[in-house]
Amino acid sequence: MAKVAMTVNGKAVSGEVEGRTLLVQFLREGLGLTGTHVGCDTSQCGACVVHIDGAAVKACAVFALDAEGASVRTIEGMANADGSLSAIQQAFQDHHALQCGFCTPGMVMSAAALLAENPKPTEREVREYLEGNLCRCTGYHNIVKAIMAASGQEVAIAAE
Amino acid sequence: MPKDSGIGASIKRREDVRFLTGRGRYTDDINLRGQAHVAFLRSNVAHGRLRGVDTAAAAAMPGVVRIFTGEDFAAVGGLPCGWQVTGRDGQVMKEPKHPVLAHGKVRHVGDPIAAVVAETYEQARDAAEAIAVDIESLPAVVDMAAALAPGSALVHDDLGTNLCYDWGFIEDSKAAVAAAIAAAHHVTTLDLVNNRLIPNAMEPRVAVGDYNSASGESTLYTTSQNPHVIRLLMGAFVLGIPEHKLRVVAPDVGGGFGSKIFHYAEEALCTFAARALNRPVKWTAQRSESFVTDAHGRDHVTRIELALDRDGHFLAIRTSTLANMGAYLSTFAPSVPTYLHGTLMAGNYKTPHIYVNVKAVFTNTVPVDAYRGAGRPEATFQLERVIDKAAREMGIDPVEIRRRNFVDAFPYQTPVAVAYDTGNYHATMDKLVTIADLAGFEKRRAASAAKGLLRGLGLNCYIEACGIAPSHLVGQLGARAGLYESATVRVNATGGIVVMTGSHSHGQGHETTFAQVIADMIGIPEAQVEIVHGDTANAPMGMGTYGSRSLAVGGSAMVRAANKIISKARKIAAHLMEAAEGDIELKDGKFRVAGTDKSVDWGAVCLAAYVPHNYPLAELEPGLEETAFYDPANFTFPAGAYACEVEVDPETGRVTIDRFAAADDFGNIVNPMVVDGQVHGGIGQGIGQALLERAVYDANGQLLSGTYMDYAMPRADDLPSYVVDHSCATPCTHNPLGVKGCGEAGAIGSPPAVVNAVIDALHRGGHAHVTHIDMPLSPARVWAAMQG
Ligand code: FES
Ligand code: FES
C-alpha cells in the first residue's frame, strides 16, 4: 500500500492504495464518488471519463498513484456553484440525451472537454469526438443534439 | 400546440437530474458493512467433463473466506425455465438442469465452476486463479446443423439429443400451405442468418446478497428488469426461500434490453453465500464476464418461402428455422423463437396460409434468450427481406407490393393465432413517403453517383405484438407465469401521491411518464406524484419491464388503481358537500357539484380520508390507498414503416447510412420526447445488428468477439441522425390509455431497411446477381458479394 494525494473537485484528498489500484477504483471505492462508472475492462466504453488537469481521460486507464498531485474533476464536480445544472448538463436534460444514465457521466465529461477545445464543433466533429464513449440506449441522436445545443449552435439535426 | 403538462406533454425527465450529477444509485454503488467479494472461476473450454476441482491451495490464500463449487449446490434447484414449449409430436421440450455452479460437465466458455468469496475482490480473483481444475476436454457442439446430425457430441448426455424441441405452427395448416405454394404463380425463397448478438447494456450485471440472521430475511440487490420475477424464481425454485423472507431490490439499472430479465447464477450464488457466511457478499461483472455470461440474442438460421399470385398478392408463407438455445435454457428462451416469432409471421399483410417450423438446438455456447424485440425482429427481418426479393423478381415497386397486401380492415384474425385490434398501415406508409422524402431520392442518387458512390433505398414495414401478455393465452402456450402487472396508488393526507408499480424503469423514464398519467387523471401538478419501483418490499407482485409492456400493462394497472382512488374520493367529496355522488365532477384537482359553484379541493378530500371527523364512516373506510392488477385482454400491435438510404463505396464495400426515417403507430403517446428517444435507441441497435455486430464462435466454442475490441458496438460516428414520427396513431382498443408500446419498434423495424437499402444500391450499381448478404454487412462481406 502507498499513500496518494490529489485534488478532486477542488478538495484535497488522500488515501492508501495498492500499486494496481486504478484511479476509477480510488474515486469510487476510496472516495465514494460513484458517479464515475465502470462499463468495461478494456478501456473502450468511456463510462469512466474524468478530467485530469483539464484533459478528458479514462479513469480506468490510469493508476491512482499516477494521479499523485493532479487536479481531478468528476461528474460530481460539474454542476454550477449553486447546485444548478451546468449548461452541458442542462442541455442533456433538455434534449433527452440520457436514458439509463449509465454512460452519462462519461458523456458529459467528454462533451465538456470537446467544447473547451472546440467551442463550435460541427455535427461530424461531435460524433467523431465521442468515438470513445459508448451509449447503448440513445442511438446517440439526442446526445449529439444536446452537445450542439450546449455549444450555442442551431440544432441543425433536429428532425422531429 | 404542444402541451406543457399531463398526457401528451414532452416533460423533461425528473430522473435526469440525479444521473447528470453523479447521484444515481446503481447496484455497484451499493456497499454494505462487512461485505465480502466474489470472483468466479469460469470454464475456458466450451465442453468438458469436470474431473476434479481442487480448492485447497486457493483456500489458504490471503483473505479467502470460502470457496463454493458445484458440490455445494448439488442439493438445491437449478435455474428454472419459465416457458415450456410443446413440439409437433406432442412431446414437451427437453429441459436439462441448469446448475448454479457447473457439476459433472462444463458446457460453455464462461460456465461458472467455482466462486471464491474473499475480503477484497482482488484477493478473490487471485485465489480463483489458484484453483486447480481438471477438465477432460470434449468435442464442442457449435454449429446448429451439425448438432442435429447423427453422431454429434451431446451437450447434455442424458437427453440423448441436442434437439430441444421441433415446433410446428400451426401444425394443422402445414398441408394447406404446401398446396398453396405448389400451385402458386411465383415462389421466392431466401436463406438467411439472423446474426447472434450480445446485448451489452452499458452497466455490467451486479449482485449483492445480504442476510439478516435476526429476522432470517435474505435481501438481493441486483441489476434486474423484474425484481419480483427474480424473487419468485430464485426463492421458490433455486434456494427454497419463501417470498416473505426474501426481498429483491433492483435500484437504478443501467440498461437491460432483455438481458436483465433472466435469473442468473450469480444472483443465487450471492444470496446463498450471504446466508451461509452471515455477511453481505458482492459480485460485479467484469465486461469480459458479461460477454460470456449475459444471455445472447437472435441466432436463427432460416429458410423462408413466399408464394405469390400473378399480381403480387401473397398466397402463402412457409419458414423453417434453426434457433440456438445455447448450453442451457435461459428463463424465457424457448418462447422467443416460437410464440414471439411464429405469431408475427403475418406481418402487416393478408397472407391466407402460413406455416412456421422451428427446431431449437442446444450448443456449447452461452444461453440465448430475449434481446430487444425478441423473436419479432427475426420474423420481421425474414418477411421483409423475402418481400423485397419477390418484388424485385416480379418487377413490382417495393412500396406497391406492400400496399397491395396490407391488412386494411380491423380487427384482423391472422392465420398465426393472434388478432390485430387496430392499425392503419397505409397511413404510416404515406407518412414515411413524406418524411423520408422518397421523391428526392433520385436527385440524391445522382449526387452520390457523381462522387463515385452507389446510393440505395430500402424500405420495410413491421408489426410487433407488445403489451405482453394475456395470462390465460400465454398459459395455454406454455408460460409458467402470469403476465399481468400491478400498481398501488397511495394518497397521503396532504394530497401527495406515491405510486408503487411492478414495472421497472432502466432508462425508459417511468418516474416521469407514469407521474404524468396520474397527474393528468386528477388534475394536479406532476410534482405531487412520486413513482416508486424496483423493490419487492414496496411494490405489489409485478412482472416487470420487457416486451414493451410497461405503459400498456403496468400503466393500465396504475390507471385502474387511480380510478378506484378517484371513485372513493368522489364519495368523500359528495359527503363533504352534502351532494349526490353522481353529481360530482373531478376537474383540475377540484371536485365540483355539477351545475353549481360548490367545490372542494383534492387536498381537502385527502385530508378528510385520513382525518375522518366529518366522514361517512358507516359506508367508507378511512384512508386513500388502492391496489390494482391488470391482465391485458390482448397483445397490442404497434406497427410502422421504415426507410433507409445508404451509400456504398464500390471500391471498399463500406456502407454509410445517410438517411433513416421511421413512421410508427404507437397508439396514444404520453411523452413524445421519451418516445422519440426509445425509437432512436432501438434504431441504433438495429443498425448495429445490420452493419456491425456479431457474436462469433470458433469451431472449438471459443467466443472470438469477447471484448469491445472485437465486438463492434455502434459508436456515434457509425450512426446517422434519425427522422421519427408517430403522428399516425390508432389507439389500442382494449387498454384504458389506448397505448401500444414503443420500446422495441426501432430494433425490429430497422435491420431489414438497412439490408434492403444495400441490396438496392448494389442492384443500381450493376451488381444484379446479389440477392442477399447476411448481417452484419461489413465492408468485407459487401465487397465480396460485389465480386460475385
Ligand atoms: S471503464 Fe470502460 S473505458 Fe473505462
Ligand atoms: S443512456 Fe444508457 S448507455 Fe447511454
Side-chain angles (χ1 to χ4, degrees):
Chain A
M1 293 292 231
K3 195 165 159 27
V4 66
M6 63 188 82
T7 306
V8 177
N9 300 329
K11 272 196 226 115
V13 298
S14 62
E16 295 276 318
V17 295
E18 289 186 59
R20 63 180 167 180
T21 305
L22 302 172
L23 177 60
V24 69
Q25 282 176 291
F26 178 65
L27 293 170
R28 288 182 56 81
E29 293 156 27
L31 304 179
L33 293 173
T34 54
T36 303
H37 294 157
V38 178
C40 73
D41 46 10
T42 52
S43 294
Q44 302 268 299
C45 75
C48 63
V49 171
V50 299
H51 295 175
I52 300 181
D53 298 327
V57 172
K58 287 177 172 167
C60 71
V62 177
F63 290 119
L65 287 173
D66 287 339
E68 173 69 33
S71 172
V72 176
R73 190 138 87 123
T74 70
I75 188 72
E76 286 91 346
M78 289 301 281
N80 297 326
D82 65 357
S84 60
L85 297 181
S86 66
I88 292 174
Q89 288 168 315
Q90 190 59 56
F92 268 59
Q93 186 188 28
D94 291 347
H95 295 279
H96 187 30
L98 61 151
Q99 292 182 24
C100 79
F102 198 80
C103 72
T104 306
M107 286 288 178
V108 169
M109 300 312 286
S110 287
L114 164 64
L115 296 186
E117 240 168 69
N118 180 0
K120 300 277 175 211
T122 63
E123 183 192 334
R124 196 71 226 158
E125 286 170 340
V126 173
R127 289 184 178 275
E128 274 163 15
Y129 196 88
L130 294 182
E131 264 260 323
N133 289 81
L134 291 176
C135 174
R136 194 56 152 170
C137 296
T138 63
Y140 303 101
H141 181 113
N142 283 343
I143 294 177
V144 175
K145 200 163 131 183
I147 296 173
M148 295 298 284
S151 75
Q153 302 186 81
E154 268 303 297
V155 184
I157 66 165
E160 308 79 358
Chain B
M1 258 297 277
K3 295 179 68 177
D4 59 9
S5 70
I7 294 173
S10 285
I11 293 177
K12 314 238 174 295
R13 298 198 327 168
R14 55 175 69 174
E15 43 273 79
D16 289 359
V17 176
R18 68 175 186 272
F19 295 142
L20 281 162
T21 52
R23 290 177 294 171
R25 185 171 179 257
Y26 298 88
T27 311
D28 193 43
D29 302 340
I30 295 172
N31 291 298
L32 303 177
R33 191 186 297 272
Q35 144 187 305
H37 297 263
V38 183
F40 286 87
L41 171 69
R42 299 181 180 280
S43 179
N44 55 13
V45 301
H47 193 195
R49 210 165 301 286
L50 210 44
R51 285 196 297 221
V53 183
D54 182 354
T55 58
M61 289 178 63
V64 174
V65 177
R66 178 78 76 82
I67 301 178
F68 295 95
T69 66
E71 283 301 323
D72 296 296
F73 288 85
V76 307
L79 304 173
C81 180
W83 202 299
Q84 184 178 56
V85 167
T86 300
R88 296 167 55 201
D89 53 6
Q91 294 290 303
V92 297
M93 68 186 191
K94 299 277 192 299
E95 194 170 355
K97 184 170 179 186
H98 185 180
V100 175
L101 294 176
H103 197 239
K105 264 175 119 179
V106 289
R107 295 189 175 86
H108 66 86
V109 170
D111 211 357
I113 296 170
V116 179
V117 184
E119 297 299 335
T120 69
Y121 176 72
E122 288 73 16
Q123 290 170 333
R125 196 163 165 168
D126 289 347
E129 283 171 14
I131 295 174
V133 191
D134 182 8
I135 297 179
E136 173 197 346
S137 224
L138 299 170
V141 180
V142 178
D143 179 73
M144 287 193 278
L148 296 181
S152 167
L154 296 176
V155 179
H156 297 276
D157 306 301
D158 52 328
L159 302 182
T161 173
N162 290 319
L163 181 66
C164 177
Y165 55 74
D166 178 0
W167 180 79
F169 191 63
I170 294 174
E171 198 56 21
D172 292 344
S173 317
K174 195 176 176 184
V177 169
I181 290 176
H185 167 76
H186 185 86
V187 178
T188 298
T189 303
L190 184 61
D191 290 296
L192 54 85
V193 173
N194 203 292
N195 42 327
R196 186 180 183 114
L197 303 176
I198 302 180
N200 274 307
M202 290 319 301
E203 177 202 30
R205 286 188 299 113
V206 183
V208 185
D210 192 17
Y211 182 66
N212 181 334
S213 61
S215 65
E217 196 194 18
S218 294
T219 302
L220 170 69
Y221 300 88
T222 183
T223 46
S224 176
Q225 303 176 213
N226 31 240
H228 288 91
V229 175
I230 302 305
R231 185 182 65 168
L232 177 63
L233 294 176
M234 184 174 78
F237 297 95
V238 188
L239 300 181
I241 306 174
E243 282 166 290
H244 64 288
K245 292 291 183 191
L246 179 57
R247 174 181 171 202
V248 177
V249 184
D252 286 330
V253 171
F257 316 112
S259 70
K260 292 173 181 167
I261 298 171
F262 322 121
H263 176 37
Y264 287 97
E266 296 84 0
E267 295 172 320
L269 186 287
C270 288
T271 309
F272 181 88
R275 191 170 54 168
L277 303 171
N278 194 17
R279 65 187 285 192
V281 169
K282 179 174 185 174
W283 169 76
T284 301
Q286 304 289 303
R287 178 60 62 182
S288 352
E289 274 183 296
S290 310
F291 273 99
V292 293
T293 64
D294 292 4
H296 292 182
R298 318 279 192 260
D299 206 351
H300 286 194
V301 176
T302 295
R303 164 165 291 189
I304 180 167
E305 297 159 277
L306 172 64
L308 307 97
D309 72 9
R310 191 174 307 277
D311 301 319
H313 295 116
F314 305 162
L315 302 173
I317 293 167
R318 180 165 59 195
T319 75
S320 163
T321 289
L322 294 180
N324 207 333
M325 294 286 103
Y328 305 100
L329 292 179
S330 174
T331 311
F332 287 112
S335 67
V336 175
T338 51
Y339 296 105
L340 294 176
H341 161 252
T343 51
L344 270 296
M345 280 315 305
N348 310 55
Y349 313 103
K350 292 177 285 199
T351 308
H353 300 290
I354 300 178
Y355 176 72
V356 178
N357 175 242
V358 178
K359 294 185 178 68
V361 186
F362 292 112
T363 59
N364 292 117
T365 63
V366 172
V368 180
D369 205 329
Y371 166 61
R372 202 170 196 168
R376 291 152 287 173
E378 295 89 321
T380 304
F381 185 71
Q382 48 183 296
L383 185 60
E384 294 294 331
R385 282 291 302 121
V386 82
I387 291 171
D388 236 51
K389 187 171 180 227
R392 208 174 289 285
E393 286 171 358
M394 296 184 71
I396 306 175
D397 175 78
V399 173
E400 175 55 26
I401 196 170
R402 288 176 168 87
R403 286 193 189 274
R404 256 179 229 180
N405 289 283
F406 275 159
V407 172
D408 49 10
F410 295 87
Y412 174 74
Q413 176 61 53
T414 70
V416 279
V418 296
Y420 305 157
D421 62 335
T422 180
N424 187 345
Y425 308 146
H426 285 288
T428 43
M429 183 59 93
D430 291 344
K431 178 60 73 176
L432 181 76
V433 167
T434 314
I435 64 173
D437 182 28
L438 296 194
F441 173 77
E442 195 42 47
K443 212 168 132 199
R444 293 189 293 272
R445 195 198 59 75
S448 298
K451 292 185 291 178
L453 300 172
L454 311 178
R455 182 175 285 261
L457 168 66
L459 312 133
N460 64 272
C461 299
Y462 77 90
I463 185 157
E464 52 171 331
C466 292
I468 289 174
S471 293
H472 67 98
L473 177 64
V474 295
Q476 285 165 23
L477 303 180
R480 290 165 168 160
L483 288 168
Y484 51 83
E485 196 48 88
S486 66
T488 295
V489 176
R490 176 178 296 163
V491 182
N492 296 309
T494 53
I497 297 177
V498 179
V499 178
M500 284 150 285
T501 168
S503 296
H504 185 274
S505 178
H506 30 280
Q508 295 86 345
H510 298 164
E511 291 167 35
T512 301
T513 56
F514 279 30
Q516 281 179 253
V517 173
I518 292 291
D520 194 289
M521 287 176 74
I522 299 173
I524 53 176
E526 275 96 12
Q528 244 175 288
V529 185
E530 200 67 34
I531 306 297
V532 172
H533 61 97
D535 187 344
T536 62
N538 298 328
M541 173 75 182
M543 296 307 291
T545 289
Y546 41 83
S548 307
R549 70 192 300 274
S550 288
L551 191 59
V553 190
S556 297
M558 180 178 73
V559 167
R560 190 175 269 185
N563 278 329
K564 290 189 199 179
I565 293 279
I566 290 169
S567 130
K568 184 171 176 184
R570 180 179 280 125
K571 287 193 176 76
I572 301 170
H575 176 89
L576 292 176
M577 294 186 284
E578 296 174 341
E581 189 192 332
D583 293 339
I584 305 292
E585 293 168 348
L586 170 61
K587 197 164 175 281
D588 298 333
K590 267 190 186 353
F591 293 93
R592 293 166 212 275
V593 182
T596 76
D597 58 0
K598 264 208 219 167
S599 73
V600 54
D601 279 347
W602 168 252
V605 171
C606 300
L607 192 63
Y610 287 96
V611 187
H613 295 164
N614 173 19
Y615 194 86
L617 283 166
E619 301 119 62
L620 222 50
E621 292 172 17
L624 209 43
E625 171 163 333
E626 298 287 349
T627 294
F629 285 73
Y630 179 85
D631 203 283
N634 189 0
F635 293 90
T636 63
F637 296 96
Y642 284 22
C644 175
E645 275 182 40
V646 298
E647 285 182 328
V648 179
D649 183 341
E651 301 291 324
T652 63
R654 185 183 147 87
V655 176
T656 306
I657 297 187
D658 186 50
R659 299 167 65 88
F660 201 102
D664 294 293
D665 173 0
F666 298 133
N668 293 334
I669 302 281
V670 171
N671 184 320
M673 173 193 82
V674 166
V675 169
D676 287 349
Q678 290 293 306
V679 177
H680 295 161
I683 295 173
Q685 289 180 346
I687 293 174
Q689 167 164 34
L691 292 186
L692 297 162
E693 298 178 41
R694 179 175 167 229
V696 184
Y697 280 96
D698 74 6
N700 298 319
Q702 293 293 333
L703 181 65
L704 301 180
S705 52
T707 72
Y708 287 143
M709 290 180 284
D710 315 291
Y711 186 89
M713 291 278 281
R715 293 169 187 273
D717 58 354
D718 294 316
L719 297 176
S721 295
Y722 322 106
V723 181
V724 300
D725 179 282
H726 34 71
S727 61
C728 303
T730 60
C732 171
T733 58
H734 56 78
N735 65 41
L737 293 168
V739 295
K740 296 184 175 177
C742 65
E744 297 161 294
I748 295 170
S750 53
V754 176
V755 178
N756 288 347
V758 173
I759 302 296
D760 184 61
L762 298 191
H763 273 255
R764 291 175 195 271
H767 303 280
H769 64 281
V770 183
T771 56
H772 180 69
I773 306 173
D774 275 323
M775 301 185 289
L777 271 55
S778 60
R781 285 182 169 186
V782 174
W783 188 85
M786 285 191 283
Q787 310 316 304

